[in-house]
Amino acid sequence: MSSTIDRPSHPRRLTTALPPVGIWWPMLEGPLRWEILEDLHAPLRMVVVRRILELCESDARMPRAPVRLDENERAYIAGWAHAVDWN
């Protein structure tokens, strides 16, 4: 028996550089949405992160490390994309 706790296989992000996805996703311009939808697991370009922060009027500093959507953000966007008629 061990007294240590196993670490999760995928480290969680303790803080996110982005405001809540439910605020910025509906306001984000179509071309930027398409860019994100192309690969939800890819790091976001800095111009996209900057635009998200502008839309939310956030005073947060631009992150130095690449920003990726977390599991909940990807689920929100996938559900939104499924509900919207893209045709």
Side-chain angles (χ1 to χ4, degrees):
M1 177 168 228
S2 174
S3 62
T4 61
I5 298 174
D6 293 336
R7 291 191 173 153
S9 59
H10 301 289
R12 287 188 167 196
R13 219 175 13 171
L14 297 177
T15 59
T16 179
L18 301 176
V21 67
I23 296 173
W24 58 264
W25 182 256
M27 295 189 292
L28 196 63
E29 292 84 359
L32 296 179
R33 283 186 188 167
W34 279 109
E35 180 178 328
I36 293 171
L37 285 167
E38 284 179 12
D39 186 356
L40 291 173
H41 295 278
L44 301 176
R45 290 187 310 135
M46 284 296 132
V47 68
V48 176
V49 174
R50 185 176 301 116
R51 182 62 184 141
I52 290 168
L53 295 176
E54 287 173 0
L55 287 172
C56 296
E57 299 176 353
S58 175
D59 292 332
R61 295 172 56 128
M62 285 294 292
R64 292 184 184 188
V67 176
R68 294 177 186 270
L69 299 174
D70 67 20
E71 185 177 333
N72 291 328
E73 292 165 336
R74 290 190 307 268
Y76 176 91
I77 292 170
W80 180 90
H82 180 72
V84 173
D85 181 19
W86 286 91
N87 296 329

